[in-house]
Amino acid sequence: MIVLGIETSCDETGIALYDSNSGRLTHAIYSQTEIHAPYGGVVPELASRDHIRKILPLVKEVFTKANLHLRDIQAIAYTGGPGLIGALLVGASFARSLGWALSIPTLAVHHLEGHLLSPMLTHSELAFPFLALLVSGGHTLLVKAKKVGNYEVLGETLDDAAGETFDKIAKLLGFPYPGGPQLAILADKGNPHRFRFPRPMIENPNLDFSFSGLKTCAATTFKKSGNDRQTKADIAYALQEAIVETLTIKCRRALEKTGLSQLVLAGGVSANQRLRQKLLELTQKLSCRLFYPPLELCTDNGAMIAYAGYARLASGQKIDDLFIHAKARWPLDSFNHEK
Ligand code: KG4
Ligand code: ZN
């Protein structure tokens, strides 16, 4: 089965063709970061307009690269939510119209389900059930993935997401949005002994997170300590360590609590090398396995949506309506087949 995947939930237009027989993947991503950088965050109206401009050229590009025609695809998957409603509607209406014209199944995929299943694109040995840490600009969740479409949220952030915390402090240190990746690079030059920030909520036995106090602590330290490059690097180091250690502690608890032996790390922050290193050490210590997507598929992309669409169709999901599904808010565990 060849599935066309369309991702437009935020500021990346991602288009992909996934062939489930051969595992072949062809994809293209256009990132709008330059458009939003002057505003210090994503401007929803600009995002929608740019998706409209880019979606058709990218679809054409991907079909040309894959040497395929529209008649070769058997299904279309698009991100139905959560995300920016205007941006979602661009991909959803494009996908639904094309699917209707071609008379092929067209389905809405949950954005986080896309991230969650993305390591399966390159790791055929990853099998349900598994634990997943989803860390992105908008979300921080620990999820027990029981089977396709059946996800139990074990814990989530009560305020800021991990990526959002990286981005907000990066902005304060003078990096353009989204500054998470640059903050991680700067952290490598930081003095490990100068600052130590709190590891929020680790005294609390549950699996929830809270990063807003840590953000305030980093911001206050910066204001008190000066604006030189070394201070910025020291703050970047201390912030990254606090976020990574907090995530690692909660992952250890979740693995021990559930008895699961596979941990999936996904979402934009899964590109963070320090987080990968710490989770690798943890999983080795617990005789578990760690899976994460290749770097190019860590942030938003169409490949994960094409794959999640394929997985849903293969698991027997019925496509029985012509509605355009777009939901700004859509809890990951709201469509479970069973608990
Ligand atoms: O999954 P994603 O592309 O979009 C959302 O659904 O939010 O994640 C983007 C987030 C941004 O906050 C970005 O700063 C963060 O992932 N990110 C990183 C790194 N690479 C991307 N944060 C820390 N270290 C990185 N290397
Ligand atoms: Zn995402």
Side-chain angles (χ1 to χ4, degrees), residues 189-218:
K189 302 189 179 77
N191 172 357
H193 308 293
R194 181 149 172 221
F195 302 117
R196 185 185 159 86
F197 297 156
R199 276 59 174 151
M201 304 258 300
I202 56 163
E203 312 306 337
N204 195 322
N206 68 20
L207 297 171
D208 288 332
F209 304 92
S210 164
F211 292 110
S212 69
L214 175 60
K215 181 189 69 189
T216 309
C217 173

Coordinates of all heavy atoms in Angstrom, one line a residue, residues 189-218:
K189 N 29.3 24.3 25.7 CA 30.4 25.1 26.1 C 30.3 25.6 27.5 O 31.1 26.4 28.0 CB 30.5 26.3 25.1 CG 30.7 26.0 23.7 CD 31.0 27.2 22.8 CE 31.2 26.8 21.4 NZ 30.0 26.5 20.7
G190 N 29.2 25.2 28.2 CA 28.9 25.7 29.5 C 29.8 25.0 30.6 O 30.2 23.9 30.4
N191 N 30.0 25.8 31.7 CA 30.7 25.3 32.8 C 29.7 24.4 33.7 O 28.8 25.0 34.3 CB 31.3 26.5 33.6 CG 31.9 26.1 35.0 OD1 31.9 24.9 35.3 ND2 32.4 27.0 35.7
P192 N 30.0 23.2 33.9 CA 29.0 22.3 34.6 C 28.9 22.6 36.1 O 28.0 22.2 36.7 CB 29.6 20.9 34.4 CG 30.8 21.0 33.5 CD 31.2 22.4 33.4
H193 N 29.9 23.4 36.6 CA 29.9 23.6 38.1 C 29.3 25.0 38.5 O 29.2 25.3 39.7 CB 31.3 23.5 38.6 CG 31.9 22.2 38.2 ND1 31.4 21.0 38.6 CD2 32.9 21.9 37.3 CE1 32.1 20.0 38.1 NE2 33.0 20.6 37.3
R194 N 29.0 25.9 37.5 CA 28.6 27.2 37.9 C 27.1 27.3 38.4 O 26.9 27.9 39.5 CB 28.8 28.2 36.7 CG 28.4 29.6 37.1 CD 29.2 30.6 36.3 NE 28.7 31.9 36.5 CZ 28.6 32.8 35.6 NH1 29.0 32.6 34.3 NH2 28.2 34.0 35.9
F195 N 26.2 26.8 37.7 CA 24.8 26.9 38.2 C 24.2 25.5 38.3 O 24.5 24.6 37.5 CB 23.9 27.7 37.2 CG 24.4 29.1 36.9 CD1 24.8 29.4 35.6 CD2 24.4 30.0 37.9 CE1 25.2 30.7 35.4 CE2 24.9 31.3 37.7 CZ 25.3 31.7 36.4
R196 N 23.2 25.3 39.2 CA 22.4 24.1 39.3 C 21.0 24.5 39.5 O 20.6 25.1 40.5 CB 22.9 23.2 40.4 CG 22.1 21.9 40.3 CD 22.5 20.9 41.5 NE 21.4 20.0 41.7 CZ 21.3 18.8 41.0 NH1 22.2 18.5 40.2 NH2 20.3 18.0 41.3
F197 N 20.1 24.1 38.5 CA 18.7 24.5 38.6 C 17.9 23.3 39.1 O 18.4 22.2 39.0 CB 18.2 24.9 37.2 CG 18.8 26.1 36.6 CD1 18.9 26.3 35.2 CD2 19.4 27.1 37.4 CE1 19.4 27.4 34.7 CE2 20.0 28.2 36.9 CZ 20.0 28.4 35.5
P198 N 16.7 23.6 39.7 CA 15.9 22.5 40.3 C 15.4 21.5 39.3 O 15.3 21.8 38.1 CB 14.8 23.2 40.9 CG 14.7 24.6 40.4 CD 16.1 24.9 39.9
R199 N 15.2 20.2 39.7 CA 14.6 19.2 38.9 C 13.1 19.2 39.3 O 12.8 18.5 40.3 CB 15.2 17.8 39.1 CG 16.5 17.6 38.4 CD 17.6 18.5 38.6 NE 18.9 18.1 38.0 CZ 19.8 19.0 37.6 NH1 19.6 20.3 37.7 NH2 20.9 18.5 37.1
P200 N 12.2 19.9 38.6 CA 10.9 20.0 39.1 C 10.0 18.7 39.2 O 10.2 17.9 38.3 CB 10.2 21.0 38.0 CG 11.2 21.1 36.9 CD 12.5 20.5 37.3
M201 N 9.2 18.6 40.2 CA 8.3 17.6 40.4 C 8.9 16.2 40.7 O 8.2 15.2 40.6 CB 7.3 17.5 39.2 CG 6.6 18.7 38.9 SD 4.8 18.8 39.5 CE 4.1 17.4 38.7
I202 N 10.2 16.1 40.9 CA 10.7 14.8 41.1 C 10.4 14.2 42.5 O 10.5 13.0 42.6 CB 12.3 14.7 40.8 CG1 13.0 15.6 41.7 CG2 12.6 14.8 39.3 CD1 14.5 15.3 41.7
E203 N 10.1 15.1 43.4 CA 9.7 14.5 44.8 C 8.3 13.9 44.7 O 7.9 13.1 45.4 CB 9.6 15.7 45.8 CG 10.8 16.6 45.9 CD 12.1 15.9 46.0 OE1 12.1 14.8 46.5 OE2 13.2 16.5 45.6
N204 N 7.5 14.4 43.7 CA 6.2 13.9 43.5 C 6.2 12.6 42.8 O 6.8 12.4 41.7 CB 5.4 15.0 42.6 CG 4.0 14.8 42.6 OD1 3.5 13.7 42.6 ND2 3.2 15.9 42.6
P205 N 5.5 11.5 43.4 CA 5.7 10.2 42.8 C 4.9 10.0 41.5 O 5.1 9.0 40.8 CB 5.0 9.3 43.9 CG 4.2 10.2 44.7 CD 4.7 11.6 44.6
N206 N 4.1 11.0 41.1 CA 3.4 10.8 39.8 C 4.3 11.0 38.6 O 5.5 11.3 38.8 CB 2.1 11.6 39.8 CG 2.4 13.1 39.7 OD1 3.5 13.5 39.3 ND2 1.5 13.9 40.0
L207 N 3.7 10.9 37.4 CA 4.5 10.9 36.2 C 4.3 12.3 35.4 O 4.6 12.3 34.3 CB 4.3 9.7 35.3 CG 4.7 8.4 36.0 CD1 4.2 7.2 35.1 CD2 6.2 8.3 36.1
D208 N 3.8 13.3 36.2 CA 3.5 14.6 35.5 C 4.8 15.4 35.6 O 5.7 15.1 36.3 CB 2.4 15.3 36.2 CG 1.0 14.7 35.9 OD1 0.9 14.1 34.8 OD2 0.1 14.8 36.7
F209 N 4.8 16.5 34.7 CA 5.9 17.4 34.7 C 5.4 18.8 34.9 O 4.3 19.1 34.7 CB 6.5 17.3 33.2 CG 7.0 16.0 32.8 CD1 6.1 15.2 32.1 CD2 8.2 15.5 33.1 CE1 6.5 13.9 31.7 CE2 8.6 14.2 32.7 CZ 7.7 13.4 31.9
S210 N 6.4 19.7 35.2 CA 6.1 21.1 35.3 C 7.4 21.9 35.0 O 8.4 21.7 35.8 CB 5.5 21.5 36.7 OG 5.6 22.9 36.9
F211 N 7.4 22.7 34.0 CA 8.7 23.3 33.7 C 8.6 24.9 33.8 O 9.6 25.5 33.6 CB 9.1 23.0 32.2 CG 9.5 21.5 32.1 CD1 8.7 20.7 31.3 CD2 10.6 21.1 32.6 CE1 9.0 19.3 31.2 CE2 11.0 19.7 32.5 CZ 10.2 18.9 31.8
S212 N 7.5 25.4 34.2 CA 7.4 26.9 34.3 C 8.3 27.5 35.4 O 8.9 28.5 35.2 CB 6.0 27.4 34.4 OG 5.5 27.0 35.7
G213 N 8.4 26.8 36.5 CA 9.2 27.3 37.6 C 10.7 27.3 37.2 O 11.5 28.2 37.5
L214 N 11.1 26.2 36.5 CA 12.5 26.1 36.0 C 12.8 27.2 35.1 O 13.9 27.8 35.1 CB 12.6 24.7 35.3 CG 13.9 24.4 34.7 CD1 15.1 24.5 35.7 CD2 13.9 23.0 34.0
K215 N 11.8 27.5 34.2 CA 12.0 28.6 33.3 C 12.2 29.9 34.0 O 13.1 30.7 33.7 CB 10.7 28.7 32.4 CG 10.7 29.8 31.3 CD 9.4 29.9 30.7 CE 8.3 30.4 31.7 NZ 7.0 30.4 31.2
T216 N 11.4 30.2 35.0 CA 11.5 31.4 35.8 C 12.9 31.4 36.5 O 13.6 32.5 36.6 CB 10.4 31.5 36.9 OG1 9.2 31.3 36.2 CG2 10.4 32.8 37.6
C217 N 13.3 30.3 37.0 CA 14.6 30.2 37.7 C 15.8 30.6 36.8 O 16.7 31.3 37.1 CB 14.8 28.8 38.3 SG 16.4 28.5 39.0
A218 N 15.7 30.0 35.6 CA 16.8 30.3 34.6 C 16.8 31.8 34.2 O 17.8 32.4 34.1 CB 16.6 29.4 33.3

